[in-house]
Amino acid sequence: MKKLNVQVVGVGGQGAILLGQILKLATLEHKNIDVVGTETRGASQREGCVDATIRYAITEEGEEYDPRRGVHGVLIPTGEADILIAMEPLEAFRNLNYVSEKTNIILNTYKILPGTVISEGLEYPEIDDMVEFMKQLTDKIFLINANELSKEVFGDFLRVNVILLGAALATEVLPFNYEEIENILRHKFKDPEKNLKALKIGYDEIKKQIS
Amino acid sequence: MAIEDLLIDEPGRILLLEGNHAMARAVLEAGVGFSSTYPGTPASEIGDILAKVGPKIPNFYSEYSVNEAVALEGAAGASWAGIRALCTMKHVGLNVASDALHTIAQTGVKGGLVLIMASDAGAYSSQSEQDNRWFSYHTFMPWIEPSTLQEAKDFIVSAFDLSEKYDVPVIVCPSSRICHGMGKIELKPFKKIPEKGKFVSDMTKYANATFFSVEHKKNLLKRIKKLSRNHLKGKLQKEIGFDYNKILEGDSKTGFITTGVSFGYTLEALEQLKIFDVPILRLGLLYPINDNLIIKFIEDRGLEKLIVVEELMPFIENRLKEIFFDAGIKIELHGKDTFPDYHELNIDIVRDHLAKLLNVETPAKIKNIQKIAKKAFTQAPRRDPTWCPGCPHRATFYTLKKVTRDQGVYGCDIGCYAMAIKPPMNMGHWIICMGAGLGVAEGMAHKTDQQVFASIGDSTFFHSGMQGMLNAIYNDSNMTLLVLENKWTSMTGQQPTQTTGLDSHLQPIQPVNIATLAKSMGAKYVRTVDPYNVRSLQTTLIDAMSRKGFKIVVCSRECALQADRTKRKKLSAITRPLPKVIYQIDPERCQKCKECISILGCPAITKGKNEEGEEYYYIETARCTNCGVCYEICPNSAITKTEINLHLEGID
Ligand SMILES: Cc1ncc(C[n+]2csc(CCOP(=O)(O)OP(=O)(O)O)c2C)c(N)n1
Ligand code: SF4
Ligand code: SF4
């Protein structure tokens, strides 16, 4: 049995929850993939940090399910994220406990300044410095300005989450292929054309960086 | 997935559901005809889902009750009419329902009566962290704890059988991680909900006057003993179709006993430490506990060491000590000597503590990551949750702070407005439990000459503020009560309140007028103001402060988030261009005095740098909800209001 963990971190209103749900929904087509996870609820949705966790346990063919090797806890233990989708750079920095050398970080470089920076004058670290710091843990860091891409193509920030989903798919770490995610966007959510376009934008952007 | 998916009648079908959705589904699989709740996170969504889909379920009634005590009493009523009834709440809700709970427990049930009581170890959405399992000791109610989402649903369904078989209400206690967890859930068949029941009078059962009450308790104890005996003999398992407890076998002489979500944490922690041979007993029915099972678990395997993994207090551990004393068992026992008795557990915490107990090392790699991550975490500026742009609470507290020159005493309560305790307001001087903001202020005002204020949300007011207000009016306490009437129970996800004008299913209904209510209770100073109108709130507060006795100011303005949602929904149907109001900061006039950005602190106001590298303030139009408060308070008149296309109608 193999475990695979995806952590999404961001700020309230960025669509982290929806992103998490798509990654969980995709398992319904796979009997051999068990999934657990969670999403932030309650007070922190109001301008605070939000996250979504997706944990897969994949049983290979002919293998029996073994609860001692399954996924149970809804939070990812230290260093065990295979992908960290950071919808905001500071939130990646705040959540490095999920990261180890195996982690692919998809880092949206669009900053959302916390209230403490704006009104209390706390310092927002430079993105370059944060990325340098993260390199102590992993060198698989992919930068993308999903907000700018979303704004450019759609005129708003509404597809940032789907762009980042496309970016995550490009790492080829997820247990699904591109078409499966396309199908979910096509059948389960509104505005399929825009979403499919956004998925491709994110995917192509990261593929460019990998090749 | 759509909420309507819960109504799918296809046994065996697998859905992806959140724990709270899965538990709501249990209503259909158990044939529940009545469900009541007072919202409380982590359990809020169970009631929300039932409020939404309820009207589509034949013969099913659901409601948001005014508080948990009333919710439980209503559920007992339905049960005594012979209908299966469910009551859902968060852990502290049980404190409120506690008086009724103790007597209802000994009275018993007719139709099955099950309480879902969500725990919140870590107090992520609560004012306190408490281990409610102790309630089972003094109410004698069976206590069931699921470890997975599937179990959460299936245990609830079975709990109705258990409740009816043994004539006792049953508590099912999911942890917050179950409530908000998500996973694959297998659907089971529906059970028919009867159209109506019938109450059959029985004084010897339902009337708990002194001469009956000890009798009733004795009878309950008898029923619980029988349940316990049948559990030991395995008969109970046959009655309900499965076992709440389970064992994973292993050859090691070190065994584990665990429950709830700690079971999964233990499995994954052991995997990380590469230990696969320890026997594990997972308890699902915690009260009454199966003594024999535990003794056999130890003796059959010749265990020499036992580790108990449970969240919060040593509930199982203490019970084990009693069992071992009675049975003369001597064994090395670990639990709260090692694991913390506060906050929730998780895989990391369990692994690190187990490593110590089992004399293995936490891998060095993990320690290194923890060190690096901690360094980054401490450098990252906090991102505190704050009120939404345009939140009426911000306007209220800003004005109150100004008017009192921050010299007042401010009793606060629980709800979105509790964020007043955070910067920039720093204004809630105490937060205790629902209703206590006002109750404490009432007493204090008799014994101090300071200006005493209490703020309370409308949902909290109806939950437990009305009695406190009556007390303050009747005893003419020298204080000012601010009722923050934002029309919704916002903190827990915008459930309707008695001021919304909508019932549990969002159908129109006559709302309660708080000012009229206060007057009819005898309040002499009653004012209602719109907090967006800063000037008018200011004058009202100054006036209230100049008078002696009890004053009530109803600050009435809809929750900005909910108002914005409704507006967007309405406008999305309109395609023609619409009039707009835009608030902007004029950089020429702005003196960067920080009044709007730091003192009011609306998150739609932010900073940027212009081409010359100079800092300037601006309003993010996309986030601004047009409340106009910054426009009113700017001391330099630097905020402008532009109205576009006003000749077109359609927007308010
Ligand atoms: C006994 C109890 N039940 C439920 C809750 C959960 N809860 C916290 S605040 C709140 C009510 C919030 O509504 P309101 O007072 O109207 O304030 P708002 O959030 O709308 O500002 C509830 C139900 C609780 N803390 N304690
Ligand atoms: S949800 Fe409503 S009450 Fe709560 S902070 Fe936002 S606007 Fe204010
Ligand atoms: S009008 Fe001013 S205070 Fe109100 S939401 Fe807009 S920016 Fe914030």
Side-chain angles (χ1 to χ4, degrees), chain A residues 3 27 30 33 36-38 41 46-47 55 68 72-73 78 88 91 93-94 97 99 112 114 116 118 120 123, chain B residues 18 180-182 184 249 264 268 271-272 278 348 369 373 376-377 381-383 385-386 490 597-598 606-607 623:
Chain A
K3 288 188 191 183
T27 62
H30 297 262
I33 305 182
V36 297
T38 188
R41 284 282 183 284
R46 322 231 188 287
E47 309 287 327
R55 308 193 62 213
R68 294 197 193 240
H72 308 284
T78 307
E88 204 279 345
E91 294 316 305
F93 194 55
R94 199 192 302 284
N97 54 309
V99 177
I112 300 177
T116 54
I118 294 164
E120 288 176 43
E123 198 184 331
Chain B
E18 194 172 278
H180 291 156
M182 215 185 226
K184 289 183 176 180
E249 289 301 348
E268 292 206 57
E271 187 200 19
Q272 287 202 345
V278 288
D348 282 316
I369 297 170
F377 185 87
R382 300 183 330 271
R383 199 184 286 282
T386 171
S490 291
I597 201 166
S598 296
T606 186
K607 286 182 209 175
R623 303 186 68 203

Short mmCIF file of all heavy atoms in Angstrom, two decimals, chain A residues 3 27 30 33 36-38 41 46-47 55 68 72-73 78 88 91 93-94 97 99 112 114 116 118 120 123, chain B residues 18 180-182 184 249 264 268 271-272 278 348 369 373 376-377 381-383 385-386 490 597-598 606-607 623:
data_model
loop_
_atom_site.label_atom_id
_atom_site.label_comp_id
_atom_site.label_asym_id
_atom_site.label_seq_id
_atom_site.Cartn_x
_atom_site.Cartn_y
_atom_site.Cartn_z
N LYS A 3 0.93 5.56 0.44
CA LYS A 3 0.20 6.76 0.87
C LYS A 3 0.65 7.95 0.04
O LYS A 3 1.81 8.03 -0.36
CB LYS A 3 0.53 7.07 2.34
CG LYS A 3 -0.08 6.13 3.33
CD LYS A 3 0.15 6.63 4.74
CE LYS A 3 -0.24 5.55 5.72
NZ LYS A 3 -0.13 5.96 7.12
N THR A 27 -11.37 10.45 -6.34
CA THR A 27 -11.15 9.07 -5.89
C THR A 27 -12.38 8.20 -6.07
O THR A 27 -12.29 6.99 -5.99
CB THR A 27 -10.78 9.02 -4.39
OG1 THR A 27 -11.89 9.55 -3.64
CG2 THR A 27 -9.54 9.81 -4.09
N HIS A 30 -12.10 5.42 -8.33
CA HIS A 30 -11.04 4.43 -8.05
C HIS A 30 -11.36 3.66 -6.78
O HIS A 30 -11.21 4.18 -5.68
CB HIS A 30 -9.68 5.13 -7.88
CG HIS A 30 -9.21 5.84 -9.10
ND1 HIS A 30 -8.33 5.28 -9.98
CD2 HIS A 30 -9.52 7.06 -9.61
CE1 HIS A 30 -8.10 6.13 -10.98
NE2 HIS A 30 -8.82 7.23 -10.77
N ILE A 33 -8.47 3.40 -4.17
CA ILE A 33 -7.92 4.57 -3.48
C ILE A 33 -8.85 4.97 -2.33
O ILE A 33 -9.99 5.37 -2.55
CB ILE A 33 -7.71 5.77 -4.42
CG1 ILE A 33 -6.86 5.37 -5.62
CG2 ILE A 33 -7.06 6.94 -3.66
CD1 ILE A 33 -6.56 6.51 -6.58
N VAL A 36 -8.98 10.29 2.97
CA VAL A 36 -9.49 11.05 4.12
C VAL A 36 -8.94 12.46 3.98
O VAL A 36 -7.98 12.69 3.25
CB VAL A 36 -9.08 10.47 5.50
CG1 VAL A 36 -9.63 9.07 5.70
CG2 VAL A 36 -7.57 10.50 5.69
N GLY A 37 -9.53 13.37 4.70
CA GLY A 37 -9.03 14.74 4.62
C GLY A 37 -9.94 15.65 5.37
O GLY A 37 -10.93 15.22 5.98
N THR A 38 -9.63 16.92 5.31
CA THR A 38 -10.45 17.88 6.02
C THR A 38 -10.29 19.25 5.39
O THR A 38 -9.44 19.45 4.51
CB THR A 38 -10.08 17.92 7.52
OG1 THR A 38 -11.03 18.71 8.22
CG2 THR A 38 -8.68 18.49 7.73
N ARG A 41 -12.97 25.05 8.80
CA ARG A 41 -14.33 25.55 8.97
C ARG A 41 -14.30 26.56 10.11
O ARG A 41 -13.40 26.53 10.94
CB ARG A 41 -15.26 24.42 9.38
CG ARG A 41 -15.63 23.50 8.27
CD ARG A 41 -16.71 24.13 7.40
NE ARG A 41 -17.15 23.25 6.34
CZ ARG A 41 -16.47 23.00 5.25
NH1 ARG A 41 -15.30 23.56 5.09
NH2 ARG A 41 -16.93 22.20 4.33
N ARG A 46 -12.90 33.88 8.01
CA ARG A 46 -13.02 35.32 7.87
C ARG A 46 -11.62 35.94 7.84
O ARG A 46 -11.06 36.23 8.87
CB ARG A 46 -13.80 35.92 9.04
CG ARG A 46 -14.92 35.06 9.49
CD ARG A 46 -16.23 35.79 9.61
NE ARG A 46 -17.24 34.96 10.22
CZ ARG A 46 -17.85 33.93 9.64
NH1 ARG A 46 -17.51 33.56 8.41
NH2 ARG A 46 -18.76 33.24 10.29
N GLU A 47 -11.06 36.04 6.66
CA GLU A 47 -9.77 36.71 6.44
C GLU A 47 -8.57 35.93 6.97
O GLU A 47 -7.44 36.34 6.82
CB GLU A 47 -9.75 38.12 7.06
CG GLU A 47 -10.92 39.01 6.68
CD GLU A 47 -10.85 39.50 5.25
OE1 GLU A 47 -9.73 39.71 4.75
OE2 GLU A 47 -11.92 39.65 4.64
N ARG A 55 -5.59 13.07 1.80
CA ARG A 55 -4.66 11.96 2.04
C ARG A 55 -5.19 10.70 1.35
O ARG A 55 -6.30 10.27 1.59
CB ARG A 55 -4.52 11.71 3.55
CG ARG A 55 -4.16 12.98 4.33
CD ARG A 55 -3.73 12.63 5.74
NE ARG A 55 -2.56 11.81 5.71
CZ ARG A 55 -2.28 10.86 6.60
NH1 ARG A 55 -3.11 10.62 7.60
NH2 ARG A 55 -1.18 10.14 6.51
N ARG A 68 -3.24 -1.09 9.20
CA ARG A 68 -2.02 -0.57 9.82
C ARG A 68 -1.18 0.24 8.84
O ARG A 68 -0.17 0.83 9.20
CB ARG A 68 -1.20 -1.71 10.38
CG ARG A 68 -1.89 -2.42 11.54
CD ARG A 68 -0.90 -3.25 12.32
NE ARG A 68 -1.58 -4.15 13.21
CZ ARG A 68 -1.42 -4.15 14.54
NH1 ARG A 68 -0.62 -3.30 15.11
NH2 ARG A 68 -2.06 -5.03 15.28
N HIS A 72 -5.68 7.47 8.19
CA HIS A 72 -6.74 7.62 9.20
C HIS A 72 -6.83 9.05 9.70
O HIS A 72 -7.88 9.66 9.72
CB HIS A 72 -6.49 6.68 10.38
CG HIS A 72 -6.27 5.26 9.98
ND1 HIS A 72 -7.30 4.44 9.60
CD2 HIS A 72 -5.13 4.51 9.88
CE1 HIS A 72 -6.82 3.25 9.29
NE2 HIS A 72 -5.51 3.26 9.44
N GLY A 73 -5.70 9.58 10.16
CA GLY A 73 -5.68 10.93 10.72
C GLY A 73 -5.95 11.91 9.59
O GLY A 73 -5.46 11.74 8.48
N THR A 78 4.33 15.48 10.04
CA THR A 78 5.52 16.24 9.66
C THR A 78 6.25 15.66 8.45
O THR A 78 6.58 14.48 8.43
CB THR A 78 6.51 16.26 10.85
OG1 THR A 78 5.81 16.75 11.98
CG2 THR A 78 7.70 17.16 10.56
N GLU A 88 -0.82 31.16 -1.44
CA GLU A 88 -0.27 32.46 -1.05
C GLU A 88 1.11 32.17 -0.46
O GLU A 88 1.27 31.22 0.31
CB GLU A 88 -1.21 33.08 0.00
CG GLU A 88 -1.18 34.57 0.14
CD GLU A 88 -0.03 35.08 1.00
OE1 GLU A 88 0.60 34.27 1.73
OE2 GLU A 88 0.27 36.26 0.93
N GLU A 91 1.77 31.77 3.34
CA GLU A 91 1.13 30.59 3.91
C GLU A 91 1.98 29.33 3.69
O GLU A 91 1.95 28.41 4.49
CB GLU A 91 -0.29 30.41 3.37
CG GLU A 91 -1.24 31.51 3.81
CD GLU A 91 -1.11 31.88 5.29
OE1 GLU A 91 -1.23 30.99 6.14
OE2 GLU A 91 -0.84 33.06 5.60
N PHE A 93 5.25 29.45 3.72
CA PHE A 93 6.31 29.68 4.71
C PHE A 93 5.83 29.29 6.10
O PHE A 93 6.56 28.69 6.89
CB PHE A 93 6.68 31.16 4.66
CG PHE A 93 7.95 31.52 5.35
CD1 PHE A 93 9.14 30.89 5.02
CD2 PHE A 93 7.97 32.52 6.32
CE1 PHE A 93 10.32 31.25 5.65
CE2 PHE A 93 9.13 32.87 6.96
CZ PHE A 93 10.32 32.24 6.63
N ARG A 94 4.58 29.60 6.40
CA ARG A 94 4.02 29.31 7.71
C ARG A 94 3.81 27.81 7.93
O ARG A 94 3.76 27.35 9.06
CB ARG A 94 2.65 30.02 7.81
CG ARG A 94 2.14 30.22 9.22
CD ARG A 94 0.68 30.65 9.22
NE ARG A 94 0.38 31.86 8.49
CZ ARG A 94 0.65 33.09 8.92
NH1 ARG A 94 1.20 33.25 10.11
NH2 ARG A 94 0.35 34.13 8.20
N ASN A 97 6.09 22.68 8.05
CA ASN A 97 6.11 21.41 8.78
C ASN A 97 5.64 20.23 7.92
O ASN A 97 5.94 19.09 8.21
CB ASN A 97 5.25 21.50 10.05
CG ASN A 97 3.85 21.96 9.75
OD1 ASN A 97 3.65 22.98 9.09
ND2 ASN A 97 2.86 21.21 10.20
N VAL A 99 6.64 19.76 4.90
CA VAL A 99 7.55 19.65 3.76
C VAL A 99 8.80 18.84 4.09
O VAL A 99 9.40 19.00 5.15
CB VAL A 99 7.94 21.07 3.29
CG1 VAL A 99 8.95 21.02 2.15
CG2 VAL A 99 6.70 21.86 2.88
N ILE A 112 -1.03 38.24 -0.41
CA ILE A 112 -2.18 38.87 0.26
C ILE A 112 -1.68 39.29 1.64
O ILE A 112 -1.38 38.45 2.49
CB ILE A 112 -3.36 37.90 0.38
CG1 ILE A 112 -3.81 37.45 -1.01
CG2 ILE A 112 -4.51 38.54 1.15
CD1 ILE A 112 -4.92 36.43 -1.02
N PRO A 114 -1.41 40.23 5.31
CA PRO A 114 -2.27 40.09 6.49
C PRO A 114 -2.51 41.44 7.17
O PRO A 114 -1.69 42.36 7.04
CB PRO A 114 -1.47 39.17 7.42
CG PRO A 114 -0.14 38.95 6.81
CD PRO A 114 -0.07 39.66 5.50
N THR A 116 -2.08 42.26 10.08
CA THR A 116 -1.01 42.62 11.01
C THR A 116 0.12 43.37 10.30
O THR A 116 0.83 44.16 10.92
CB THR A 116 -0.42 41.37 11.67
OG1 THR A 116 -0.02 40.47 10.65
CG2 THR A 116 -1.41 40.71 12.60
N ILE A 118 -0.47 45.30 7.54
CA ILE A 118 -1.03 46.59 7.15
C ILE A 118 -1.19 47.53 8.35
O ILE A 118 -0.78 48.68 8.31
CB ILE A 118 -2.39 46.39 6.44
CG1 ILE A 118 -2.15 45.65 5.12
CG2 ILE A 118 -3.08 47.73 6.18
CD1 ILE A 118 -3.40 45.06 4.53
N GLU A 120 -0.42 46.77 11.91
CA GLU A 120 0.52 46.74 13.04
C GLU A 120 1.96 46.93 12.58
O GLU A 120 2.87 46.96 13.41
CB GLU A 120 0.42 45.40 13.79
CG GLU A 120 -0.85 45.23 14.59
CD GLU A 120 -0.93 43.84 15.23
OE1 GLU A 120 0.08 43.37 15.76
OE2 GLU A 120 -2.01 43.24 15.16
N GLU A 123 6.47 42.73 9.52
CA GLU A 123 7.13 42.66 8.23
C GLU A 123 6.74 41.41 7.44
O GLU A 123 6.71 40.31 7.98
CB GLU A 123 8.65 42.66 8.45
CG GLU A 123 9.39 43.02 7.19
CD GLU A 123 10.90 42.92 7.39
OE1 GLU A 123 11.34 43.12 8.55
OE2 GLU A 123 11.60 42.61 6.42
N GLU B 18 -18.68 14.80 3.85
CA GLU B 18 -18.08 15.33 5.07
C GLU B 18 -18.75 14.60 6.24
O GLU B 18 -19.90 14.17 6.13
CB GLU B 18 -18.37 16.82 5.13
CG GLU B 18 -17.52 17.52 6.15
CD GLU B 18 -17.66 19.04 6.07
OE1 GLU B 18 -17.00 19.66 5.22
OE2 GLU B 18 -18.42 19.58 6.87
N HIS B 180 -15.65 17.44 10.56
CA HIS B 180 -15.16 18.19 9.40
C HIS B 180 -14.23 17.37 8.52
O HIS B 180 -13.63 17.90 7.59
CB HIS B 180 -14.50 19.49 9.86
CG HIS B 180 -15.50 20.46 10.41
ND1 HIS B 180 -15.17 21.45 11.28
CD2 HIS B 180 -16.82 20.57 10.21
CE1 HIS B 180 -16.27 22.13 11.60
NE2 HIS B 180 -17.28 21.61 10.96
N GLY B 181 -14.10 16.09 8.84
CA GLY B 181 -13.31 15.22 7.98
C GLY B 181 -14.12 14.88 6.75
O GLY B 181 -15.32 15.10 6.70
N MET B 182 -13.44 14.36 5.73
CA MET B 182 -14.16 13.97 4.54
C MET B 182 -13.67 12.61 4.09
O MET B 182 -12.50 12.28 4.25
CB MET B 182 -13.89 15.00 3.44
CG MET B 182 -15.07 15.22 2.57
SD MET B 182 -14.68 16.28 1.25
CE MET B 182 -16.07 17.36 1.33
N LYS B 184 -14.95 8.53 1.99
CA LYS B 184 -15.92 7.75 1.23
C LYS B 184 -16.89 7.08 2.19
O LYS B 184 -16.47 6.45 3.15
CB LYS B 184 -15.19 6.68 0.42
CG LYS B 184 -14.38 7.21 -0.73
CD LYS B 184 -13.76 6.03 -1.48
CE LYS B 184 -13.01 6.50 -2.71
NZ LYS B 184 -12.40 5.37 -3.43
N GLU B 249 -5.11 -7.83 15.94
CA GLU B 249 -4.22 -8.79 16.62
C GLU B 249 -2.74 -8.47 16.42
O GLU B 249 -2.38 -7.80 15.45
CB GLU B 249 -4.52 -10.21 16.13
CG GLU B 249 -5.85 -10.76 16.62
CD GLU B 249 -5.97 -10.83 18.17
OE1 GLU B 249 -4.95 -10.66 18.87
OE2 GLU B 249 -7.10 -11.03 18.66
N GLY B 264 -6.90 5.88 14.92
CA GLY B 264 -6.19 6.10 13.67
C GLY B 264 -4.82 6.72 13.87
O GLY B 264 -3.85 6.35 13.22
N GLU B 268 -1.20 5.09 12.64
CA GLU B 268 -0.23 5.76 11.75
C GLU B 268 1.07 6.10 12.48
O GLU B 268 2.14 6.07 11.87
CB GLU B 268 -0.86 7.02 11.14
CG GLU B 268 -1.97 6.67 10.16
CD GLU B 268 -2.19 7.75 9.11
OE1 GLU B 268 -1.23 8.09 8.39
OE2 GLU B 268 -3.33 8.26 9.03
N GLU B 271 3.03 2.95 12.52
CA GLU B 271 3.58 2.68 11.19
C GLU B 271 4.86 3.49 10.99
O GLU B 271 5.86 2.99 10.49
CB GLU B 271 2.56 3.02 10.11
CG GLU B 271 3.03 2.61 8.72
CD GLU B 271 2.30 3.33 7.61
OE1 GLU B 271 1.70 4.39 7.86
OE2 GLU B 271 2.37 2.84 6.47
N GLN B 272 4.81 4.77 11.41
CA GLN B 272 6.01 5.61 11.23
C GLN B 272 7.18 5.08 12.05
O GLN B 272 8.33 5.24 11.67
CB GLN B 272 5.70 7.05 11.65
CG GLN B 272 4.81 7.75 10.63
CD GLN B 272 4.93 9.27 10.72
OE1 GLN B 272 5.45 9.81 11.68
NE2 GLN B 272 4.47 9.94 9.69
N VAL B 278 1.86 -4.94 17.56
CA VAL B 278 1.19 -4.75 18.86
C VAL B 278 -0.32 -5.00 18.73
O VAL B 278 -0.94 -4.53 17.78
CB VAL B 278 1.42 -3.33 19.43
CG1 VAL B 278 2.84 -3.17 19.89
CG2 VAL B 278 1.07 -2.27 18.41
N ASP B 348 1.62 13.15 14.82
CA ASP B 348 2.93 13.59 15.31
C ASP B 348 3.04 13.48 16.82
O ASP B 348 4.04 12.99 17.34
CB ASP B 348 3.18 15.06 14.90
CG ASP B 348 3.58 15.18 13.43
OD1 ASP B 348 4.42 14.38 12.99
OD2 ASP B 348 3.04 16.05 12.75
N ILE B 369 13.05 18.78 10.35
CA ILE B 369 11.96 19.53 9.70
C ILE B 369 11.22 20.37 10.74
O ILE B 369 10.92 21.55 10.52
CB ILE B 369 10.95 18.57 9.02
CG1 ILE B 369 11.63 17.79 7.90
CG2 ILE B 369 9.75 19.35 8.47
CD1 ILE B 369 10.79 16.66 7.33
N ALA B 373 10.81 24.30 10.33
CA ALA B 373 9.43 24.80 10.17
C ALA B 373 9.08 25.77 11.29
O ALA B 373 8.40 26.78 11.07
CB ALA B 373 8.45 23.64 10.15
N ALA B 376 10.52 29.23 10.58
CA ALA B 376 9.72 29.98 9.60
C ALA B 376 8.41 30.45 10.22
O ALA B 376 8.00 31.59 10.05
CB ALA B 376 9.44 29.10 8.38
N PHE B 377 7.79 29.56 10.98
CA PHE B 377 6.49 29.87 11.57
C PHE B 377 6.58 31.11 12.46
O PHE B 377 5.72 31.98 12.42
CB PHE B 377 5.99 28.67 12.37
CG PHE B 377 4.60 28.86 12.92
CD1 PHE B 377 3.49 28.53 12.15
CD2 PHE B 377 4.40 29.37 14.20
CE1 PHE B 377 2.21 28.71 12.65
CE2 PHE B 377 3.13 29.56 14.70
CZ PHE B 377 2.03 29.24 13.92
N PRO B 381 4.46 36.78 9.77
CA PRO B 381 3.50 37.65 10.47
C PRO B 381 2.14 36.97 10.61
O PRO B 381 1.72 36.26 9.69
CB PRO B 381 3.41 38.88 9.56
CG PRO B 381 3.93 38.45 8.24
CD PRO B 381 4.91 37.35 8.49
N ARG B 382 1.50 37.15 11.76
CA ARG B 382 0.22 36.49 12.02
C ARG B 382 -0.83 36.90 11.00
O ARG B 382 -0.79 37.99 10.45
CB ARG B 382 -0.31 36.89 13.41
CG ARG B 382 0.53 36.55 14.58
CD ARG B 382 -0.14 36.93 15.89
NE ARG B 382 -1.04 38.07 15.84
CZ ARG B 382 -0.69 39.34 16.02
NH1 ARG B 382 0.58 39.66 16.23
NH2 ARG B 382 -1.59 40.31 15.98
N ARG B 383 -1.76 36.01 10.77
CA ARG B 383 -2.90 36.35 9.92
C ARG B 383 -4.13 36.08 10.77
O ARG B 383 -4.71 35.01 10.75
CB ARG B 383 -2.91 35.49 8.65
CG ARG B 383 -3.75 36.05 7.53
CD ARG B 383 -3.79 35.10 6.34
NE ARG B 383 -2.59 35.06 5.53
CZ ARG B 383 -2.23 35.97 4.63
NH1 ARG B 383 -2.99 37.02 4.43
NH2 ARG B 383 -1.12 35.83 3.94
N PRO B 385 -7.86 36.11 12.11
CA PRO B 385 -9.19 36.31 11.52
C PRO B 385 -9.73 37.66 12.00
O PRO B 385 -9.43 38.10 13.11
CB PRO B 385 -10.03 35.17 12.10
CG PRO B 385 -9.26 34.57 13.20
CD PRO B 385 -7.83 34.99 13.04
N THR B 386 -10.43 38.33 11.14
CA THR B 386 -11.00 39.62 11.53
C THR B 386 -12.40 39.74 10.93
O THR B 386 -12.82 38.88 10.18
CB THR B 386 -10.09 40.78 11.07
OG1 THR B 386 -10.78 42.00 11.27
CG2 THR B 386 -9.73 40.66 9.61
N SER B 490 -24.19 34.30 12.86
CA SER B 490 -23.16 34.36 11.83
C SER B 490 -21.96 33.48 12.11
O SER B 490 -21.45 32.80 11.23
CB SER B 490 -22.71 35.81 11.64
OG SER B 490 -23.75 36.54 11.05
N ILE B 597 -7.38 52.62 8.21
CA ILE B 597 -6.66 51.38 7.94
C ILE B 597 -6.28 50.65 9.24
O ILE B 597 -6.33 49.42 9.31
CB ILE B 597 -5.42 51.68 7.05
CG1 ILE B 597 -4.96 50.42 6.32
CG2 ILE B 597 -4.28 52.29 7.82
CD1 ILE B 597 -3.98 50.71 5.20
N SER B 598 -5.93 51.39 10.27
CA SER B 598 -5.46 50.75 11.50
C SER B 598 -6.44 50.83 12.66
O SER B 598 -6.52 49.91 13.47
CB SER B 598 -4.15 51.37 11.98
OG SER B 598 -3.15 51.14 11.03
N THR B 606 -6.23 48.88 2.02
CA THR B 606 -4.87 48.32 2.04
C THR B 606 -3.86 49.34 1.53
O THR B 606 -4.21 50.48 1.22
CB THR B 606 -4.86 46.99 1.25
OG1 THR B 606 -3.60 46.38 1.39
CG2 THR B 606 -5.19 47.17 -0.21
N LYS B 607 -2.59 48.91 1.48
CA LYS B 607 -1.52 49.83 1.10
C LYS B 607 -0.89 49.41 -0.21
O LYS B 607 -0.83 48.22 -0.50
CB LYS B 607 -0.39 49.79 2.13
CG LYS B 607 -0.67 50.46 3.44
CD LYS B 607 0.59 50.33 4.29
CE LYS B 607 0.25 50.30 5.75
NZ LYS B 607 1.40 50.06 6.61
N ARG B 623 -13.51 44.15 -2.87
CA ARG B 623 -13.78 43.63 -1.53
C ARG B 623 -14.67 44.56 -0.70
O ARG B 623 -15.24 44.15 0.30
CB ARG B 623 -12.46 43.40 -0.79
CG ARG B 623 -11.53 42.45 -1.55
CD ARG B 623 -10.30 42.12 -0.75
NE ARG B 623 -10.63 41.32 0.39
CZ ARG B 623 -9.89 41.23 1.48
NH1 ARG B 623 -8.77 41.92 1.57
NH2 ARG B 623 -10.24 40.47 2.48
#
